[in-house]
Amino acid sequence: MMSEDMKRLAAERAVADVTSGMKLGIGTGSTAEHFVRALGARVREGLQVIGVPTSERTRALAEAEGIPLTTLEETPALDLTVDGADEIDPALSLIKGGGGAHLREKIVAAASTRMIVIADSSKCVETLGKFPLPIEVVPFGLGATRIAIGKVFADLGLSGDLRMRGGAEHPFVTDGGHYILDAHLGAIPDPQALAAALVAVPGVVEHGLFIGLAAKAYVAGPDGVFEMTARA
C-alpha cells in the first residue's frame, strides 16, 4: 500500500468521528488534506459542521470543498481538531511544523476539547527528534535568538545543526510573518524540558513540539488503520 493510500485511510477513519453540530479545527499538511476532502464529501451529503483552518492553504481547500468556516474570534471553543504529524512517540507527543503551520496548529489544538492525529505508520518513533524540530522565530534579533537557542541545546546536552528554512537569501516566511529555524537534533530524550526552555527564549514565537494535546491517533499501515493511545 502506498503512503498516500495510508494517509487517506487514516483521514477517513477520523472523519467517522465527526458528528453534526461539531466545531472543528482543521489541520495542515498532506494527510490533513485527505481529511478535508473526506470531510467535504460528508458535508455535501448533509453533515453540518463548522471549521477553523490552521493555514491559508487549508482555508483555500476547505472553501473549495464547501466546508463552512469560522475563526477563533467568532468561535473560540472547538470540539475537535484533526491534524497530521511529522513524528509521533508512544506518549502521543508530536513533532509538527514540516509545513510551517505549527503556530496556528497549536493555537487551534489548544482551543479544542480533543485532538486526533492522523498519520501513516512511518511517522511513529520511539524517541522524537529524527525529524528536524521547527522553531518559529521573529526576524528581528535573529542572530541573538540563534545564540540563545544554541545555549538551550547545550544546557540540555543536545547538539545538532540549526538551519534557516529556505536559506538566508530566501527564508521561508510563515502565515504569521515569521521565520523558521529547523533544529537537526537526531534525538530529543526529554521533549518537555526542551519545550519549556525554548518558549522562554525571547524571539522564539513557538516550536513544533506538541505535548499533552493529542487524545489519540489513527495510524495507517500495510495491515490497515489502528488506534493509538498514549502509553504511560
Side-chain angles (χ1 to χ4, degrees), residues 73-187:
E73 286 73 32
E74 297 169 343
T75 312
L78 305 178
D79 300 302
L80 173 67
T81 285
V82 177
D83 206 348
D86 297 300
E87 285 188 341
I88 309 169
D89 77 4
L92 288 188
S93 295
L94 317 171
I95 286 182
K96 290 179 51 57
H102 53 285
L103 172 59
R104 293 190 183 185
E105 288 172 335
K106 191 174 287 188
I107 292 171
V108 170
S112 304
T113 301
R114 290 189 304 142
M115 178 186 186
I116 294 176
V117 178
I118 49 177
D120 65 86
S121 56
S122 69
K123 302 301 193 301
C124 294
V125 298
E126 283 298 315
T127 303
L128 298 178
K130 184 176 181 181
F131 189 91
L133 174 65
I135 304 171
E136 190 161 344
V137 296
V138 177
F140 177 82
L142 181 61
T145 301
R146 292 186 73 130
I147 290 172
I149 292 171
K151 185 175 185 304
V152 165
F153 294 162
D155 289 345
L156 294 174
L158 301 170
S159 62
D161 292 338
L162 193 61
R163 304 175 193 170
M164 172 77 77
R165 186 175 298 185
E169 295 297 319
H170 304 284
F172 176 92
V173 180
T174 69
D175 286 342
H178 306 126
Y179 294 163
I180 292 180
L181 300 175
D182 287 314
H184 295 251
L185 300 173

